[in-house]
Amino acid sequence: MSDLPTLIDATEQTLARIAADFSPAVFASSLAAEDMVLTDLILKAKLPIGIFSLETGRLHQETLDVLDKVRQHYDHDITLYRPQPEAVEQYVQQNGLNAFYDSVEMRRECCRIRKVEPLGRALAGNKAWVTGQRRAQSSTRAELHVQEEDVAHAMTKFNPLADWSEEDVWAYIRANGVPYNALHDQGYPSIGCQPCTRAIEPGEDVRAGRWWWENPDSKECGLHMVDGKLIRIKSVAA
């Protein structure tokens, strides 16, 4: 495990800088463990950073239960963005409810409808957005930086937990009594939509349960991609 107090201090400074210099800013929470760490830090410090989540319509009940846990623990309601019903209906009618199993293209189109388009609405009008991504999560995130320029949305993107390990995340959660998704205790280190997420076996990569039928290099939903590719542009921190 890393020097957790130092990591926490650096993350608190990053969040404070976002609130001071990049307002209005929002935090895109998937309600996973990493995002609960950031939720705790943002709400405890009463930072003016909005928190939203993408309710895709196919999330696990345990994930939806986290919304109630946040409300009870912090007296705070996370804002939800949902896909356009017409787009979902058209996809299902033309391709079938679970067409995302058929090809990477079909899966990415489902992600576009259920996640990418709602994300665009959630980010509109903001100067910066925050994610819970970590560098150690997967090969597709190995070059992750704390601060990046998001060319797709023409705004600054922050990944304050980029340097954190999974052990750091759980040490913080346990030390601070942070509520979290019950699926994490059932072998789900990374959690997405219910039909696209499975528990992993001991020794597997933490994101092995996400779109497990695909090549590891394709395992991104599109929220952090431009023209099908992950774009990493490092910014110089102020």
Side-chain angles (χ1 to χ4, degrees):
M1 187 173 69
S2 310
D3 181 355
L4 188 56
T6 299
L7 283 176
I8 294 172
D9 182 65
T11 302
E12 289 175 335
Q13 290 185 38
T14 297
L15 291 171
R17 184 164 62 87
I18 294 167
D21 300 338
F22 292 86
S23 183
V26 287
F27 165 43
S29 170
S30 69
L31 307 174
E34 292 82 3
D35 299 303
M36 296 312 298
V37 170
L38 288 175
T39 296
D40 189 74
L41 291 171
I42 289 170
L43 295 181
K44 278 185 176 178
K46 295 181 170 55
L47 296 174
I49 298 175
I51 303 176
F52 72 87
S53 189
L54 304 178
E55 210 293 73
T56 66
R58 304 213 64 178
L59 299 178
H60 299 79
Q61 183 58 50
E62 290 88 345
T63 300
L64 296 174
D65 289 344
V66 177
L67 297 168
D68 292 329
K69 292 180 181 180
V70 170
R71 184 180 302 111
Q72 294 164 7
H73 191 83
Y74 301 101
D75 191 25
H76 181 87
D77 286 312
I78 291 177
T79 301
L80 298 180
Y81 285 85
R82 296 179 172 87
Q84 301 287 0
E86 300 83 3
V88 173
E89 182 179 1
Q90 183 178 23
Y91 177 91
V92 172
Q93 286 183 346
Q94 291 181 352
N95 307 295
L97 180 63
N98 296 325
F100 42 80
Y101 291 128
D102 295 340
S103 69
V104 173
E105 291 71 27
M106 279 288 96
R107 196 270 295 167
R108 285 180 175 161
E109 177 61 10
C110 186
C111 288
R112 185 192 68 78
I113 292 169
R114 294 183 183 273
K115 299 176 75 173
V116 178
E117 189 278 331
L119 175 72
R121 283 186 274 121
L123 297 183
N126 288 284
K127 189 174 180 180
W129 67 300
V130 181
T131 87
Q133 291 187 104
R134 293 185 296 106
R135 198 173 295 122
Q137 285 174 322
S138 69
S139 60
T140 60
R141 298 178 179 181
E143 297 180 12
L144 191 73
H145 300 295
V146 171
Q147 181 174 339
E148 304 175 331
E149 289 306 312
D150 181 348
V151 296
H153 300 101
M155 63 197 307
T156 305
K157 177 180 175 183
F158 288 90
N159 310 295
L161 302 184
D163 296 324
W164 288 48
S165 68
E166 185 176 4
E167 291 76 15
D168 295 325
V169 169
W170 284 104
Y172 181 94
I173 286 175
R174 296 187 182 101
N176 293 276
V178 177
Y180 62 88
N181 193 322
L183 289 174
H184 288 308
D185 292 330
Q186 300 173 37
Y188 289 78
S190 180
I191 305 168
C193 289
Q194 186 276 328
C196 296
T197 310
R198 65 162 174 80
I200 67 170
E201 298 296 329
E204 281 191 293
D205 183 85
V206 294
R207 281 174 64 85
R210 301 292 298 278
W211 309 297
W212 65 91
W213 63 93
E214 293 184 8
N215 184 295
D217 293 337
S218 71
K219 291 188 176 186
E220 290 288 346
C221 60
L223 297 182
H224 311 290
M225 302 178 74
V226 177
D227 295 331
K229 297 180 180 179
L230 282 161
I231 301 299
R232 299 289 179 217
I233 301 178
K234 185 175 181 180
S235 297
V236 178

